[in-house]
């Protein structure tokens, strides 16, 4: 039996290695495919950022011409402000962040940053100024230091550690046997959802962009980690233009403005209090969530 076990175990290891390499390649091509969607104009200048004010001006967008996903969408995020977008699943929330990052071009209308149409500037300069904390952070099969520095490979060890401290992941890292050299990802240490999100926050702190997009995770973290992460996200968004694609209510409550979208249209907008006073769609969603999760704090409520 043991004679069979060793080769079979070895084959299992090889199979997992190949599968992971393919997953990495797929991910790489996935990213490259996204890049092929849009092309820079010849000699497109760099985006000049002065505060990072965002404007969606009468934006229409369809992935497939038979179905409009965003319809005449107009809103502004003044420099340094936080705007949250809420709405049911499939309403078009994440599409806004994909368009802002220019993974796709708008079908009609325009997106402007500090008054410049993002179609007229070099993609690299646009993306350098936007930091995304995504729903699910991709970790590369490399060291934790590499994963934090991804996006700013020239960062020094001291800068990496300082970002990790600000994201409250430093203690966790130094308690690993190989510290910052610990391998993570499929072939190394597996991180929890909250730990991965902290790596993403550390990455973003290191990138230091003028504009932030938080695409909140749909799956609830345990409420203690979630509250801690929310505090870190709020700290990160201070004085930065922030767009929150919201699934939970915690950050929404503090946003300068909340947009409620339905079938790709803004149906309501205002602060948390003003929307509750309006007693419309937002107030209805809020009530439903309060009733569906009677024991949950507002921090743990799900939007979509
Ligand atoms: P959720 O809360 O579930 O994340 P969402 O509001 O973020 O949803 P989007 O991801 O923006 O919704 O999707 C809006 C619509 O566009 C959905 O109907 C979705 O099926 C469609 N859609 C999203 N991505 C694509 C794509 N790559 N190709 C075609 N249709 C897409």
């Amino acid at each position: 039996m043991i004679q069979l076990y060793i080769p079979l175990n070895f084959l299992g290891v090889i199979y997992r290695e190949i599968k992971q390499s393919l997953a990495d390649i797929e991910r790489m091509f996935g990213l490259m495919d996204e890049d092929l969607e849009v092309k820079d104009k010849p000699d497109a200048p760099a985006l000049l950022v002065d505060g990072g004010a965002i404007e969606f001006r009468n934006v229409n967008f369809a992935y497939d011409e038979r179905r409009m996903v965003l319809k005449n969408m107009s809103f502004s995020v003044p420099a340094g402000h936080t705007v949250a977008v809420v709405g049911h699943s499939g309403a078009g929330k994440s599409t806004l962040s994909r368009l802002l990052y220019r993974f796709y071009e708008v079908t009609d209308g325009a997106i402007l940053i500090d008054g410049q149409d993002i179609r007229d500037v070099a993609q690299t300069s646009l993306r350098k100024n936007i930091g995304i904390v995504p729903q699910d952070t991709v970790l590369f099969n490399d060291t934790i230091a590499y994963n934090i520095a991804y996006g700013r490979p020239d960062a020094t060890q001291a800068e990496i550690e300082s970002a990790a401290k600000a994201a409250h992941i430093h203690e966790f890292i130094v308690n690993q046997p190989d510290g910052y050299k610990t391998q993570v990802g499929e072939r190394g240490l597996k991180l929890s959802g909250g730990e991965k999100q902290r790596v993403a926050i550390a990455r973003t702190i290191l990138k230091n962009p003028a504009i932030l997009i938080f695409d909140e995770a749909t799956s609830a973290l345990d409420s203690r980690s979630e509250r801690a992460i929310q505090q870190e996200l709020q700290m990160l968004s201070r004085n930065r233009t922030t767009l929150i694609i919201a699934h939970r209510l915690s950050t929404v409550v503090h946003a300068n403005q909340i947009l409620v979208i339905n079938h790709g249209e803004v149906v309501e907008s205002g602060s948390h209090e003003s929307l509750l006073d309006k007693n419309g769609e937002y107030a209805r969603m809020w009530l439903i969530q309060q009733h569906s999760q009677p024991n949950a704090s507002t921090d743990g409520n799900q939007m979509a």
Side-chain angles (χ1 to χ4, degrees):
M1 196 62 193
I2 188 85
Q3 282 152 323
L4 261 180
Y5 173 76
I6 294 171
L8 281 178
N9 194 33
F10 180 62
L11 276 178
V13 169
I14 290 184
Y15 170 70
R16 277 195 297 277
E17 293 264 345
I18 292 173
K19 202 168 142 222
Q20 182 52 37
S21 303
L22 289 176
D24 283 350
I25 290 167
E26 258 173 32
R27 208 170 279 147
M28 213 172 83
F29 278 109
L31 292 174
M32 285 164 73
D33 279 347
E34 300 272 32
D35 279 339
L36 290 177
E37 296 282 341
V38 291
K39 294 252 183 302
D40 280 347
K41 290 182 176 166
D43 302 320
L47 174 73
L48 298 175
V49 175
D50 177 22
I54 302 168
E55 184 187 348
F56 274 62
R57 192 182 285 170
N58 306 112
V59 169
N60 289 301
F61 177 70
Y63 291 98
D64 161 350
E65 61 198 24
R66 284 166 301 181
R67 189 166 70 97
M68 255 333 162
V69 170
L70 298 182
K71 296 164 203 155
N72 203 24
M73 179 79 75
S74 291
F75 65 89
S76 298
V77 190
H81 279 221
T82 295
V83 167
V85 182
V86 304
H88 295 292
S89 186
K93 303 183 293 294
S94 298
T95 301
L96 296 174
S97 64
R98 288 177 207 132
L99 291 179
L100 188 57
Y101 210 64
R102 223 175 140 212
F103 278 141
Y104 301 91
E105 300 283 35
V106 297
T107 309
D108 215 352
I111 301 174
L112 299 104
I113 293 180
D114 288 332
Q116 299 145 86
D117 189 323
I118 63 171
R119 282 170 299 198
D120 295 338
V121 299
Q123 271 173 67
T124 45
S125 67
L126 171 75
R127 293 179 182 176
K128 209 176 83 197
N129 283 291
I130 300 177
I132 303 186
V133 180
Q135 290 201 6
D136 194 16
T137 303
V138 174
L139 291 182
F140 298 97
N141 283 313
D142 209 304
T143 64
I144 198 148
Y146 172 91
N147 272 281
I148 292 175
Y150 181 78
R152 245 205 68 199
D154 62 326
T156 63
Q157 181 64 22
E159 286 172 323
I160 293 173
E161 290 191 19
S162 154
K165 279 179 191 155
H168 294 181
I169 185 95
H170 175 75
E171 283 302 312
F172 168 82
I173 298 170
V174 291
N175 280 319
Q176 301 304 318
D178 294 322
Y180 277 84
K181 294 200 173 106
T182 303
Q183 291 284 323
V184 294
E186 285 297 317
R187 274 177 269 159
L189 180 71
K190 306 274 186 299
L191 300 185
S192 74
E195 288 153 1
K196 280 206 261 180
Q197 212 164 9
R198 289 206 169 93
V199 169
I201 292 171
R203 251 183 215 170
T204 310
I205 291 171
L206 208 51
K207 191 174 176 187
N208 196 24
I211 296 171
L212 283 176
I213 302 174
F214 298 151
D215 200 342
E216 290 185 340
T218 38
S219 56
L221 301 166
D222 69 82
S223 52
R224 232 182 93 222
S225 331
E226 197 197 313
R227 226 166 289 137
I229 284 178
Q230 288 303 345
Q231 280 170 8
E232 284 141 28
L233 292 180
Q234 270 182 32
M235 175 204 76
L236 190 58
S237 69
R238 207 165 293 149
N239 300 323
R240 285 178 219 261
T241 312
T242 306
L243 185 67
I244 302 174
I245 308 300
H247 294 274
R248 296 186 293 264
L249 293 179
S250 46
T251 38
V252 171
V253 173
H254 304 290
N256 300 102
Q257 197 189 17
I258 301 165
L259 306 175
V260 183
I261 66 170
N262 201 357
H263 298 299
E265 288 178 278
V266 178
V267 290
E268 276 176 20
S269 67
S271 67
H272 173 72
E273 282 76 22
S274 74
L275 286 173
L276 284 186
D277 285 347
K278 220 179 238 175
N279 216 10
E281 180 69 15
Y282 180 82
R284 200 176 60 78
M285 288 166 96
W286 173 265
L287 255 184
I288 290 171
Q289 288 182 36
Q290 298 298 306
H291 285 124
S292 63
Q293 291 178 308
N295 298 322
S297 69
T298 52
D299 281 1
N301 286 343
Q302 296 287 309
M303 260 298 180

